[in-house]
Amino acid sequence: MAESENHVTEAVAKKAQALRRALHHHNYAYYVLNEPEISDAEYDRLMRELIALEEAYPELITPDSPTHRIGAPPLDRFEAVSHTVPMLSLENAFFEKEVLEFDQRVRRFLETDDPVAYTAEPKVDGLAVEIVYEKGLLMQASTRGDGFKGELITPNIKTINSVPLYLMDSGKVAVPARLEVRGEVFMPLEAFKRLNKERLKQGEPAFANPRNAAAGSLRQLDSRITAQRPLDMFCYGVGVMSDLSPSSHWEILGILKELGLPVNPQIRPRCRIEEVLEYYNMLSERRHAFTYEMDGIVIKVDDLSLQRRLGEKSRSPRWALAYKFPAVQETTRILGIEIQVGRTGALTPVAHLAPVLVGGVTVSRATLHNEDEIKRKDIRIGDTVLIQRAGDVIPEVVKVIETARTGDEKVFRFPAVCPACHSRVRRLEGESVWRCVNAVCSAQLKARIRHFASKGAFDIDGLGGKLVDQLVDRGLVRSYADLFYLDKATLAGLDRMAEKSAQNLVEAISKSKNISLDRFIYGLGIRHVGEHLAHVLARAFGSLEAFMAASEDELIAIDEVGPQVAQSIRAFFETPENTANIEKMLQAGVRIAETPGVGLSESKRTLEGEAFVLTGALESMTRSEAKARIEALGGKVTGSVSPRTTYVVAGKEPGSKLARARQLGVPVLTEQELLERLS
Ligand code: 9MJ
């Protein structure tokens, strides 16, 4: 009996070890190399299998188990830990002149007239941390703190998917007995936007910027909350690193990469100060194209023996300098506050600002999110405010400059009625937004139609906001289904509508009638169903009929669909106007292309796990066709290039996406190469 139990445990232990290895490998392939080898579903299956094993046999849990990535029970407080080697801060520079002075200082100190080799890297705006690996195992992680002592945040760091729980032994670099690696933990911009949206919905204050969001997420006593926040990290230095003796900073970065640690791919190695300045200009221009926020570059003397000779001043090394980008925060005045009505009736206050240049872009509007945010920040009309923009996020008001108040500022009263239809607005218990609940409110209808015609949905070229306003105000369109019944004569009768444009619009509307199921679903504008979820639903159901007939339970059974979404979908289809609109669209000739990928046998899913971005015109097919064909083989087509993109397909006259691909090192395919993969 005892023997058979032992036997089982041994087999189980082997299985657990194999699962841990596999998960570690796939994690690295996905999060560090951006080259996934298996689907997300397969990864989840392996993870669930390991969790089940560890639950059944807790003695199998090892400190490097990937199950730690989901967080650990909460702590009462953070313990303090000392850094073996102090974590220094950086001296800042804002002008080219200061960088040239830095270079002169370095050369004067080293008593040389020869150019010094620098390595320049993006300065990521996050939180500095140190992770200690002993014999390759992640043992401890801490915040920078005051540079000498930080807070122990090991379980929180383990939730970051790109951070290896044990170091990789590639055979090229011996895993050091002790490695103290330093880097910046940050929150990617997309995740930041999503998190803030969610927080505002829950009535919680939004984070002012991705940096605060990263800090707030990492310094959670409950690491299970950290696990819900998609953080990432780039490693850029070391404290103690035993066994290895690199001679340059660039070599250190190479070692870190070899050990499986995430290192920023944008680093410019060993260059002269003039090239550093070029690198700064290049990044400064392109920084908004990145998936994370950078606030400058860090310039480091590359040679470690020179670094040692240079040493440090009180708190910062003499061999490094942070050269910051121009601020993305500015002060301006609030001229007025307008209420916008969204397609679900949500009322969003928007500030009209005295136009101001923020990081190279003129900003004249900023979102104020909701009534609570206005109250919390005590924002008044006429106030001087600090505003900021991050990436392509809508600018927001960070805070009021209270010292600039004159007493003439006006407190904003949130309206009790919808600014468009004048019906009373409601705020539901537990919600942070006021809503216009009038089903026939014209502002909601306009927003719904704009959404319906937008790029990710029916993509109707030429149907802009002003035109939608006219169509609704003149009663020509009472639902999106009506769009398909517009004729050229009606359109040509509108203001600023030439014969030719009317013709083009009729053609664009007609062309949009052939649509994939995911775009169709997204276009409906069901509350909580965004572009991504629409895609998930389309894949899960395969046809409009099946989707419309799905019960709440069937909906919840789908990964990523929760009770709130399921209820919202059901409520949508139980509203007779909505089903009547769908019927009317189908009668007008709207045809849904069969959803690709559904029910395909594994052998046909040759593009499973691959993400494509299309740019420029293709010769042998339209972009929609290319998308359908890629999806038919299990691949994905997305709109923007990110490190997760597998290929960018460049047709004729490709757009900025091609440049972005080159910048991120994403492989580029020609149309011919795409066809080969499709055949
Ligand atoms: C950031 N924040 O990206 C350093 N940093 O080096 C990079 N910070 C740094 N290096 C020494 N890339 C101290 C701080």
Side-chain angles (χ1 to χ4, degrees):
M1 180 77 193
E3 220 178 75
S4 89
E5 249 182 38
N6 260 342
H7 179 70
V8 169
T9 308
E10 208 175 289
V12 164
K14 271 205 179 132
K15 176 80 193 157
Q17 175 69 351
L19 283 168
R20 275 196 296 270
R21 289 228 175 103
L23 283 162
H24 185 264
H25 169 79
H26 291 303
N27 200 70
Y28 175 72
Y30 186 89
Y31 289 103
V32 183
L33 301 181
N34 297 311
E35 287 166 6
E37 292 169 13
I38 57 172
S39 67
D40 292 358
E42 179 64 7
Y43 184 89
D44 291 344
R45 195 186 63 71
L46 295 175
M47 181 65 100
R48 278 198 300 273
E49 204 176 330
L50 182 59
I51 292 172
L53 272 185
E54 289 185 353
E55 273 173 3
Y57 306 90
E59 66 273 27
L60 283 180
I61 302 174
T62 58
D64 62 341
S65 174
T67 55
H68 291 308
R69 296 206 185 274
I70 56 183
L75 308 170
D76 296 331
R77 58 179 189 86
F78 291 116
E79 261 178 70
V81 268
S82 296
H83 304 294
T84 327
V85 182
M87 290 179 76
L88 301 171
S89 54
L90 295 168
E91 191 185 312
N92 287 325
F94 296 90
F95 305 100
E96 201 165 296
K97 184 167 160 276
E98 293 170 310
V99 178
L100 295 172
E101 282 166 4
F102 161 77
D103 174 57
Q104 278 161 10
R105 253 190 338 265
V106 166
R107 286 189 289 142
R108 203 178 318 124
F109 197 96
L110 296 172
E111 295 176 348
T112 175
D113 289 329
D114 294 335
V116 171
Y118 297 101
T119 288
E121 32 198 80
K123 184 174 182 305
V124 179
D125 200 13
L127 199 76
V129 302
E130 177 170 80
I131 308 178
V132 181
Y133 289 90
E134 282 174 15
K135 297 199 183 87
L137 272 190
L138 191 163
M139 298 303 283
Q140 177 180 306
S142 55
T143 59
R144 174 177 176 273
D146 64 4
F148 299 97
K149 254 190 188 156
E151 288 174 328
L152 199 59
I153 48 159
T154 318
N156 308 57
I157 285 289
K158 283 185 172 180
T159 68
I160 303 174
N161 286 306
S162 56
V163 172
L165 302 177
Y166 60 90
L167 297 175
M168 198 162 74
D169 189 354
S170 68
K172 287 195 197 144
V173 169
V175 172
R178 183 178 177 89
L179 172 68
E180 300 170 358
V181 64
R182 279 119 188 239
E184 200 82 359
V185 169
F186 60 94
M187 184 175 286
L189 281 165
E190 266 311 309
F192 166 70
K193 278 193 263 182
R194 229 179 308 129
L195 175 64
N196 262 357
K197 211 167 141 191
E198 194 49 42
R199 285 175 71 85
L200 287 164
K201 218 159 81 186
Q202 305 294 340
E204 294 168 47
F207 285 113
N209 51 48
R211 203 201 99 76
N212 288 1
S217 303
L218 203 54
R219 293 189 64 261
Q220 282 284 343
L221 288 166
D222 188 346
S223 53
R224 289 170 301 196
I225 296 176
T226 314
Q228 307 296 318
R229 309 271 176 85
L231 297 172
D232 205 341
M233 178 174 178
F234 282 132
C235 298
Y236 55 65
V238 296
V240 168
M241 177 163 72
S242 58
D243 313 319
L244 298 164
S245 38
S247 60
S248 71
H249 178 62
W250 181 238
E251 237 176 279
I252 292 180
L253 297 175
I255 291 171
L256 297 180
K257 238 190 289 189
E258 211 53 58
L259 293 170
L261 291 156
V263 174
N264 196 318
Q266 299 297 328
I267 297 175
R268 177 72 57 94
R270 298 178 179 153
C271 51
R272 294 181 182 218
I273 202 70
E274 295 79 16
E275 281 175 80
V276 170
L277 297 175
E278 274 168 30
Y279 172 79
Y280 171 89
N281 290 332
M282 182 274 292
L283 271 190
S284 178
E285 247 170 54
R286 298 199 197 152
R287 66 173 147 147
H288 296 303
F290 287 85
T291 51
Y292 54 90
E293 189 152 85
M294 44 177 98
D295 60 342
I297 64 168
V298 184
I299 310 167
K300 296 174 182 173
V301 171
D302 190 57
D303 188 312
L304 297 184
S305 63
L306 296 186
Q307 279 191 9
R308 275 188 289 272
R309 275 173 60 196
L310 284 156
E312 62 225 30
K313 296 182 285 192
S314 60
R315 280 281 174 107
S316 56
R318 269 195 210 91
W319 45 265
L321 182 74
Y323 183 15
K324 304 289 267 298
F325 292 139
V328 283
Q329 290 194 336
E330 270 313 329
T331 53
T332 185
R333 265 189 76 224
I334 295 194
L335 305 177
I337 296 177
E338 177 204 9
I339 297 289
Q340 279 184 355
V341 185
R343 64 191 157 84
T344 59
L347 268 48
T348 306
V350 175
H352 286 258
L353 308 168
V356 60
L357 206 62
V358 191
V361 173
T362 304
V363 169
S364 55
R365 291 149 73 81
T367 177
L368 300 175
H369 299 297
N370 58 43
E371 185 186 24
D372 291 351
E373 279 282 291
I374 297 179
K375 284 196 178 142
R376 204 171 55 80
K377 293 179 179 161
D378 188 20
I379 296 168
R380 304 178 193 178
I381 298 166
D383 262 337
T384 299
V385 289
L386 184 68
I387 61 158
Q388 75 175 3
R389 55 182 282 268
D392 57 355
V393 186
I394 306 167
E396 357 171 66
V397 171
V398 180
K399 63 172 184 184
V400 170
I401 313 290
E402 288 192 26
T403 48
R405 280 207 171 133
T406 61
D408 292 337
E409 295 77 16
K410 286 201 194 72
V411 173
F412 175 72
R413 299 233 173 279
F414 215 85
V417 296
C418 168
C421 71
H422 309 293
S423 59
R424 279 200 81 77
V425 294
R426 287 205 219 141
R427 184 171 163 171
L428 296 181
E429 184 89 15
E431 278 206 355
S432 54
V433 291
W434 286 95
R435 276 178 207 283
C436 164
V437 291
N438 171 13
V440 293
C441 166
S442 66
Q444 283 180 53
L445 177 59
K446 287 172 184 172
R448 272 202 297 275
I449 292 174
R450 279 196 300 271
H451 170 82
F452 184 83
S454 69
K455 274 229 165 331
F458 278 68
D459 193 12
I460 305 176
D461 229 14
L463 190 59
K466 293 250 157 57
L467 200 56
V468 171
D469 289 352
Q470 280 197 68
L471 290 170
V472 171
D473 291 340
R474 296 184 183 211
L476 295 170
V477 164
R478 293 197 167 81
S479 76
Y480 36 61
D482 290 345
L483 290 173
F484 298 103
Y485 293 85
L486 289 169
D487 56 26
K488 191 177 143 194
T490 312
L491 289 173
L494 297 174
D495 295 345
R496 274 170 293 167
M497 194 64 167
E499 200 62 18
K500 180 77 185 128
S501 334
Q503 178 63 30
N504 288 345
L505 185 53
V506 168
E507 278 167 20
I509 292 172
S510 173
K511 208 174 101 199
S512 77
K513 285 183 185 170
N514 280 318
I515 188 163
S516 60
L517 181 57
D518 54 347
R519 283 169 166 270
F520 185 97
I521 294 175
Y522 177 60
L524 295 177
I526 304 171
R527 211 167 142 201
H528 304 307
V529 179
E531 221 168 338
H532 172 69
L533 212 49
H535 195 74
V536 170
L537 291 163
R539 287 192 75 125
F541 291 103
S543 77
L544 179 62
E545 295 71 31
F547 175 48
M548 286 176 73
S551 68
E552 215 165 296
D553 287 344
E554 283 170 314
L555 288 163
I556 292 176
I558 295 164
D559 234 9
E560 301 191 53
V561 176
Q564 196 186 30
V565 175
Q567 267 171 27
S568 165
I569 294 171
R570 280 319 313 153
F572 184 89
F573 289 124
E574 276 157 21
T575 307
E577 287 86 354
N578 293 332
T579 42
N581 270 334
I582 292 173
E583 188 50 41
K584 206 166 160 186
M585 277 159 49
L586 297 176
Q587 269 174 19
V590 171
R591 288 287 165 266
I592 297 166
E594 196 182 311
T595 290
V598 174
L600 268 192
S601 71
E602 284 303 315
S603 63
K604 286 197 184 146
R605 301 177 67 81
T606 50
L607 303 183
E608 180 76 55
E610 297 191 351
F612 290 76
V613 171
L614 310 175
T615 178
L618 300 175
E619 282 179 348
S620 59
M621 55 190 151
T622 65
R623 276 208 265 179
S624 313
E625 271 175 74
K627 180 169 189 281
R629 289 182 63 183
I630 290 168
E631 289 177 342
L633 295 174
K636 258 191 336 194
V637 176
T638 61
S640 59
V641 185
S642 82
R644 308 259 181 279
T645 308
T646 323
Y647 296 109
V648 167
V649 180
K652 272 214 172 123
E653 292 180 31
S656 61
K657 288 171 188 169
L658 179 61
R660 181 98 212 282
R662 299 239 159 92
Q663 193 180 57
L664 293 177
V666 172
V668 177
L669 298 183
T670 59
E671 180 169 356
Q672 191 53 39
E673 285 167 324
L674 172 67
L675 287 170
E676 280 161 22
R677 297 192 63 88
L678 291 175
S679 64

